[in-house]
């Protein structure tokens, strides 16, 4: 079966939605002569590709930086708003799915429209014994905190640090000529 959708307005596109030859579902843009999306017979979704290798794959050919996915939180009034990339894993005993906001972009204050208020931290979390915990944070100023949510130095570690190698060393460089 095939369904053809056509826009008669200015700049309109002609589209087809059809069962593909490989048993999937294709969304084809006749105006641009391009496949835009395919759901293959195994349920994988490809946007910009006709042979997705994962549950969701986006693909494009572009020079320079390309945004493959954009996650947006449009709430402007909050002070702790965030947008996350979450992952979920199931357990065998009861099928419970534990999802974790593993990577999160978090407002550091309310964004008022003044450039000096638009600050955000990047937060990385893990789960242990079903409890989600922040493990690392990169602040808007570039400070990195491991084991702390408020790093005040370029690198701040709350806990032990192990340096292991055949010939390990830690070099402290005095750039201010302190004696």
């Amino acid at each position: 079966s095939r369904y053809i959708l056509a826009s008669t307005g200015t700049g309109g596109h002609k589209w087809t939605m059809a069962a593909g030859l490989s048993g999937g579902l294709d969304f084809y843009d006749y105006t641009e002569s391009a496949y835009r999306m395919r759901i293959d017979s195994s349920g994988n979704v490809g946007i910009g590709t006709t042979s997705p290798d994962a549950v969701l794959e986006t693909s494009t050919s572009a020079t320079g930086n390309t945004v493959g996915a954009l996650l947006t939180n449009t709430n402007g009034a909050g002070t702790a708003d965030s947008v996350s990339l979450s992952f979920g894993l199931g357990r065998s005993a009861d099928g419970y799915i534990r999802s974790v906001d593993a990577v999160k972009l978090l407002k550091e204050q309310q964004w008022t429209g003044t450039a000096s208020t638009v600050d955000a931290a990047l937060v990385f979390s893990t789960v242990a014994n079903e409890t989600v915990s922040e493990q690392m944070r990169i602040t808007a100023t570039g400070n990195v905190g491991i084991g702390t949510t408020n790093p005040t130095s370029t690198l701040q570690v709350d806990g032990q640090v192990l340096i292991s190698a055949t010939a390990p060393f830690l070099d402290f460089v005095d750039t201010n000529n302190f004696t």
Side-chain angles (χ1 to χ4, degrees), residues 85-159:
L85 183 58
S86 297
F87 300 94
L89 294 170
R91 63 181 178 208
S92 60
D94 56 8
Y96 172 75
I97 304 292
R98 178 62 161 127
S99 67
V100 177
D101 294 344
V103 181
K104 182 186 304 184
L105 184 67
L106 174 69
K107 284 184 182 177
E108 292 185 333
Q109 61 192 341
Q110 184 174 353
W111 293 8
T112 64
T114 303
S116 63
T117 68
V118 182
D119 298 325
L122 192 57
V123 175
F124 300 86
S125 298
T126 61
V127 62
N129 299 318
E130 293 193 22
T131 301
V132 177
S133 300
E134 179 178 322
Q135 299 299 325
M136 184 174 76
R137 177 180 294 233
I138 304 172
T139 67
T141 59
N143 290 346
V144 176
I146 300 173
T148 178
T149 60
N150 189 25
T152 56
S153 299
T154 303
L155 175 62
Q156 183 176 339
V157 179
D158 184 6

